[in-house]
Amino acid sequence: MILNLKGRLKLIADKVPECNVLADIGTDHAYIPIYLVQNGVCQKAIASDIKIGPVKMASNNISLYKLSEKIETRLGNGLDTIEINEADSIIIAGMGGTLVTELLEANKPKTVNTNALVLQPMNDLHVVRKWLYDNAFEIYDEEMVAEGPKLYCVLSAKFSGKKKDYSDFELHVGQSLIEKKDPLLSTYCRMKVKQIDRVLEQLEDMKENDVLKTQYARQKIDYINLIEKL
């Protein structure tokens, strides 16, 4: 029985390079490790989650696809479930951006020797980009995918040892997305402009938020200028 992925999960899987051991942190159903092992992208995988329910579900799915000898489930918090140098590639997906950075910060030594960090934050992308840049990681690829009305972005990063200078806007829109003119980037920017308009409307009568209003207004101009270039 072959597992097929689509949408967000397929894009995450597509960003994982060939490796010996994959660690999927917050694995939920373990669909991505199953798919990658079945397709020979990874020889073995670790599927971990902080909650017992997802771990049991992952174990059931792994057994269903007869991959118990190649995929191991572990219960625990974030990267605590793996050892240093145990995984060649690490996935952290489906959770908030602030939590993603907290997990990375808590176990930074476990991330620097990996071939790839594949990250898919559900929000606060700028927080994740800032952590990566400030901790000398190169974001070598980003790509967006749509599922219904929602857009998701998958970041691929690797430790370079060199910190990057960046503008505030580069944290909100990844440079890789701009350089490759991601097909969904224009749609994403238009969504952000609408969000900013709603925020500015709420701040309109609050004099104490003049600095914040100026910041959002400048950000809106940056989004509009980018839309015109795409």
Side-chain angles (χ1 to χ4, degrees):
M1 184 165 55
I2 301 298
L3 175 65
N4 291 313
L5 298 180
K6 59 183 179 179
R8 180 178 67 93
L9 296 184
K10 179 64 162 57
L11 180 57
I12 295 168
D14 286 346
K15 296 304 178 181
V16 178
E18 289 189 10
C19 61
N20 183 32
V21 179
L22 163 76
D24 184 21
I25 307 300
T27 193
D28 204 9
H29 301 82
Y31 288 148
I32 294 176
I34 290 169
Y35 175 87
L36 292 173
V37 170
Q38 278 192 333
N39 286 275
V41 177
C42 303
Q43 299 306 307
K44 295 182 179 180
I46 299 161
S48 80
D49 207 285
I50 193 171
K51 296 180 179 179
I52 187 64
V55 171
K56 287 182 177 179
M57 188 174 295
S59 296
N60 290 339
N61 288 331
I62 292 165
S63 296
L64 179 65
Y65 286 91
K66 304 185 187 309
L67 290 173
S68 298
E69 293 184 1
K70 293 190 174 184
I71 304 176
E72 177 186 350
T73 58
R74 296 181 186 177
L75 176 65
N77 183 36
L79 296 166
D80 291 349
T81 57
I82 62 172
E83 301 297 326
I84 293 178
N85 298 327
E86 186 176 16
D88 306 300
S89 297
I90 296 173
I91 295 172
I92 306 178
M95 58 189 77
T98 299
L99 178 55
V100 170
T101 60
E102 289 172 354
L103 298 182
L104 293 171
E105 180 66 28
N107 277 286
K108 198 187 310 181
K110 296 177 182 178
T111 66
V112 297
N113 291 325
T114 58
N115 294 327
L117 285 178
V118 180
L119 311 174
Q120 187 271 301
M122 301 298 277
N123 53 40
D124 293 336
L125 286 159
H126 63 288
V127 174
V128 178
R129 292 189 184 104
K130 187 177 190 307
W131 187 92
L132 291 169
Y133 289 146
D134 289 348
N135 287 276
F137 281 79
E138 174 195 1
I139 302 175
Y140 61 84
D141 188 31
E142 292 193 40
E143 188 170 339
M144 305 188 84
V145 64
E147 284 190 357
K150 294 185 178 180
L151 296 180
Y152 301 98
C153 185
V154 179
L155 296 79
S156 301
K158 184 176 181 178
F159 184 74
S160 67
K162 298 178 182 178
K163 292 186 178 181
K164 173 184 166 61
D165 294 327
Y166 52 81
S167 66
D168 180 70
F169 191 63
E170 282 180 303
L171 297 181
H172 287 85
V173 180
Q175 196 61 35
S176 293
L177 295 174
I178 297 172
E179 291 173 356
K180 72 198 306 185
K181 293 188 176 181
D182 189 285
L184 292 172
L185 183 54
S186 179
T187 302
Y188 175 78
C189 289
R190 294 178 194 279
M191 289 172 59
K192 298 302 289 186
V193 169
K194 288 181 179 179
Q195 290 176 9
I196 291 172
D197 282 340
R198 288 195 292 270
V199 172
L200 289 173
E201 188 176 331
Q202 293 170 357
L203 296 174
E204 185 62 35
D205 299 323
M206 302 180 186
K207 291 183 179 180
E208 65 272 18
N209 285 319
D210 283 346
V211 173
L212 198 56
K213 284 190 281 187
T214 300
Q215 178 184 331
Y216 276 110
R218 186 182 300 117
Q219 200 176 101
K220 177 181 175 179
I221 292 171
D222 288 336
Y223 278 116
I224 292 172
N225 288 338
L226 178 55
I227 291 170
E228 292 174 351
K229 294 177 183 178
L230 295 172

